[in-house]
Amino acid sequence: MNNEPARGSDEAPPAASSPNPSSSPTPSRTRRLFGGWSANLLQVVLGVTQQVALVPVFLHYWTSDVLAAWLAIYAAGNLVLVADAGLQFRAINRFLGFKSSVDCDGRTACFYAAMRRIYFGWAGLLIVLVLIVTRFVSPAVVLGFQAVPDFDAAFVVMMVGLLLSLPANLVSGLYRARGLYGRAVGLQNWAMLLAQLGQLVAIITTGSLLAVTIAYAAAQVLMMLYFVGIDASRMVAPLRGVRVRHSWSWITGQFRKAAPFAMAGATDLALLNLPVLLVSALVSDRVAVAQWGLTRVAAGLVRALCVQVTLPLAAELGHDYAIGLKDLLRSLYARGSVFITLLASAVVSGLLPFWSDFFALWTHGAVRYDPLLTMTLLIGASAAAPSILASNYANYSNRGELLVRTKGLQLGVFLILSVVLIPPLGPLGAAISVVASDLLIQFGVLGLIIIRQTLERPLRHVVFLAALMVCVTLAGWALGTIIRSMTPGAGLMRFVSECALWLIVVAVAATPLVNPGFRAQLDARIPK
């Protein structure tokens, strides 16, 4: 196995007072993983509720123009994630690094106190900049919502509220490093639920865009206050009463060391949104543009599912990496990689035969279904699934420089292929560009580097993943095709019945996995 990169040697600033070391018990790994997956699943459900289920309620009280204004404000609020500037992953890697050091709790508490001051100062600076810019430049004029009442005020409230919530990222990072991943996401879910209830009350009682925005932003601020002011010191006792002194050079050093993670995150955001923008700009057929946007939802579902599953795994891998548990790290990475490949392949094998029926029901036949475009996006998403684990693990193992180089290269490859392929091929060219950049760079470079540095038999592991993906995808696809050809009827009932029958057959076929002995035999066959 190749040598792993250095974990870093910088220290937290000196503290005026340091807590006594103490260790709080954490749940077992299995409980942590299932807790994280459960919390992430609920987060996905709440996200769908926010972006889909609440829309009919809003339309009952608002016009489509006001709804469009709210969606623009909501999207602007989501972009505040970039304002973290990579500090969260910088903090996570330091917290993990302290686990293998003397006085882990004391150093963690000192670093946490110093980063907390940085977060509040950084959030305050950004808020001042937002207030200054919006004082001279009207967001309503820039975004074309001059006719919507209180748009400027609502925009400022959203931006200020989300910026104020930034320090919660520090506590969330601490929890992830301390084996409390499920709690971090769980509290965020409570904040989202509170925000949605507040939005419902605001829209029903006032019908005001500003009131709805205040309800959403206030829930995020309350979450931050609870995280930082109450929960952090209650869950991690050594944080109480710690005071630190730090220099400006140390502060700028944290931003400098966080920059690779910030750049990698910004590149991921660009890769997520650029395909839509490029297709809109380079394809004149608006129906084809709509076809691309709608078909991309299926691949986005697969990717989102893989991301949510790999995040708790990456936190556990980061823990093993930080304290040098190479055997556990190797075993968990190999099993996690197989699990994510199996999951993505199973989902794709079900989407391939039935997506056309769903697409027709979803669009009411207004948009033509393109089978080649669908196959390209779905099979590409399945093939790239193991690289998502590699990318997330890189964030938790202090590989910021590797992420910057590979993500920058991936963005360059995507842009070159897009300019060449989209004009003659339309949305299919965009799909090929996305899949090629994922497979060539994210998997072919980043994924293989991580696998080679982590596993003892990387080549056999990659071959095993490829064989697993092909077998599961073809088997599920063939099963779906047979069921689809044999199911009578039409419309929604036919779609529901064929999907239900496919799920039943797959569940029966997967029953041997319930047997611990059978799982142990499969685990022994995974190349590590």
Side-chain angles (χ1 to χ4, degrees):
M1 185 173 64
N2 291 1
N3 292 331
E4 295 178 345
R7 294 167 176 75
S9 58
D10 54 298
E11 305 291 339
S17 62
S18 179
N20 294 326
S22 64
S23 298
S24 56
T26 56
S28 68
R29 168 160 289 175
T30 302
R31 289 183 60 190
R32 291 197 301 266
L33 286 173
F34 277 100
W37 289 332
S38 300
N40 281 348
L41 178 61
L42 180 56
Q43 190 174 59
V44 171
V45 172
L46 290 171
V48 172
T49 302
Q50 176 66 49
Q51 299 183 53
V52 178
L54 288 182
V55 170
V57 180
F58 289 152
L59 283 174
H60 181 75
Y61 295 92
W62 287 342
T63 65
S64 57
D65 290 341
V66 179
L67 175 62
W70 162 248
L71 294 176
I73 292 172
Y74 182 78
N78 286 336
L79 290 177
V80 172
L81 292 172
V82 181
D84 180 81
L87 290 173
Q88 184 185 47
F89 280 117
R90 165 63 185 163
I92 287 174
N93 280 286
R94 292 310 296 143
F95 291 142
L96 288 171
F98 293 147
K99 287 191 170 187
S100 59
S101 66
V102 178
D103 190 20
C104 167
D105 287 344
R107 297 179 70 187
T108 295
C110 293
F111 187 79
Y112 172 85
M115 290 298 294
R116 183 178 58 195
R117 295 189 66 179
I118 290 178
Y119 259 104
F120 277 109
W122 178 239
L125 175 62
L126 293 177
I127 288 170
V128 170
L129 291 176
V130 166
L131 294 176
I132 292 174
V133 170
T134 54
R135 176 68 179 82
F136 296 100
V137 180
S138 169
V141 173
V142 173
L143 299 174
F145 292 106
Q146 300 94 317
V148 178
D150 298 324
F151 182 88
D152 283 348
F155 185 90
V156 171
V157 166
M158 176 65 83
M159 298 301 291
V160 170
L162 271 292
L163 287 171
L164 277 174
S165 70
L166 276 180
N169 290 355
L170 176 62
V171 183
S172 176
L174 174 65
Y175 285 3
R176 291 165 192 248
R178 306 280 290 199
L180 300 171
Y181 181 92
R183 182 170 186 82
V185 181
L187 289 175
Q188 293 169 356
N189 289 342
W190 278 109
M192 177 60 74
L193 180 60
L194 178 64
Q196 291 174 2
L197 293 175
Q199 291 171 73
L200 287 173
V201 172
I203 189 69
I204 292 172
T205 57
T206 68
S208 165
L209 174 65
L210 179 59
V212 170
T213 307
I214 291 173
Y216 181 86
Q220 312 308 314
V221 175
L222 287 174
M223 175 195 68
M224 182 276 294
L225 293 174
Y226 180 75
F227 251 147
V228 177
I230 300 175
D231 201 60
S233 59
R234 186 168 67 88
M235 297 301 297
V236 186
L239 301 182
R240 297 170 186 165
V242 178
R243 298 291 183 269
V244 296
R245 300 183 302 270
H246 50 77
S247 65
W248 284 106
S249 62
W250 189 87
I251 293 174
T252 56
Q254 302 314 303
F255 281 98
R256 177 174 54 82
K257 291 167 183 174
F261 299 106
M263 294 172 64
T267 305
D268 265 338
L269 191 63
L271 287 168
L272 184 64
N273 293 288
L274 273 178
V276 177
L277 299 177
L278 287 175
V279 170
S280 300
L282 299 177
V283 178
S284 58
D285 185 354
R286 296 295 93 183
V287 175
V289 174
Q291 181 187 69
W292 161 255
L294 295 172
T295 306
R296 190 168 169 266
V297 170
L301 173 65
V302 177
R303 177 177 174 79
L305 182 62
C306 292
V307 168
Q308 295 302 323
V309 169
T310 56
L311 283 174
L313 283 169
E316 294 295 326
L317 290 168
H319 168 272
D320 291 348
Y321 171 81
I323 61 178
L325 299 176
K326 293 185 177 181
D327 290 338
L328 285 176
L329 171 64
R330 188 181 304 118
S331 176
L332 180 60
Y333 189 93
R335 287 181 289 144
S337 185
V338 168
F339 177 63
I340 198 68
T341 301
L342 179 62
L343 177 66
S345 301
V347 173
V348 167
S349 72
L351 288 172
L352 283 170
F354 302 128
W355 182 255
S356 59
D357 291 343
F358 175 78
F359 194 85
L361 292 170
W362 189 25
T363 62
H364 300 285
V367 180
R368 183 176 60 87
Y369 172 71
D370 188 334
L372 184 57
L373 177 63
T374 303
M375 284 190 292
T376 302
L377 285 172
L378 287 178
I379 294 175
S382 176
S387 67
I388 296 176
L389 176 61
S391 180
N392 284 328
Y393 171 48
N395 277 315
Y396 283 82
S397 56
N398 210 24
R399 291 177 166 98
E401 298 295 337
L402 174 63
L403 283 169
V404 169
R405 292 196 300 270
T406 53
K407 290 296 182 180
L409 182 59
Q410 183 182 356
L411 180 60
V413 169
F414 166 75
L415 290 174
I416 293 172
L417 290 176
S418 295
V419 172
V420 173
L421 296 178
I422 292 178
L425 298 179
L428 181 60
I432 295 173
S433 301
V434 170
V435 172
S437 64
D438 280 345
L439 295 181
L440 292 175
I441 309 302
Q442 182 164 293
F443 184 84
V445 178
L446 174 62
L448 291 183
I449 288 175
I450 295 295
I451 290 174
R452 190 177 68 249
Q453 291 178 346
T454 306
L455 303 181
E456 291 182 335
R457 294 181 288 179
L459 181 59
R460 290 185 61 183
H461 186 79
V462 171
V463 172
F464 184 86
L465 294 181
L468 178 66
M469 187 198 77
V470 171
C471 292
V472 172
T473 302
L474 291 180
W477 193 357
L479 174 64
T481 302
I482 294 172
I483 290 175
R484 189 166 178 263
S485 64
M486 296 175 59
T487 305
L492 179 61
M493 290 305 299
R494 179 179 188 271
F495 173 72
V496 172
S497 60
E498 62 189 13
C499 289
L501 183 57
W502 185 88
L503 288 172
I504 291 171
V505 175
V506 169
V508 171
T511 50
L513 294 175
V514 178
N515 188 315
F518 183 75
R519 290 201 308 270
Q521 292 179 9
L522 290 180
D523 181 60
R525 295 178 181 273
I526 298 175
K528 300 179 178 67

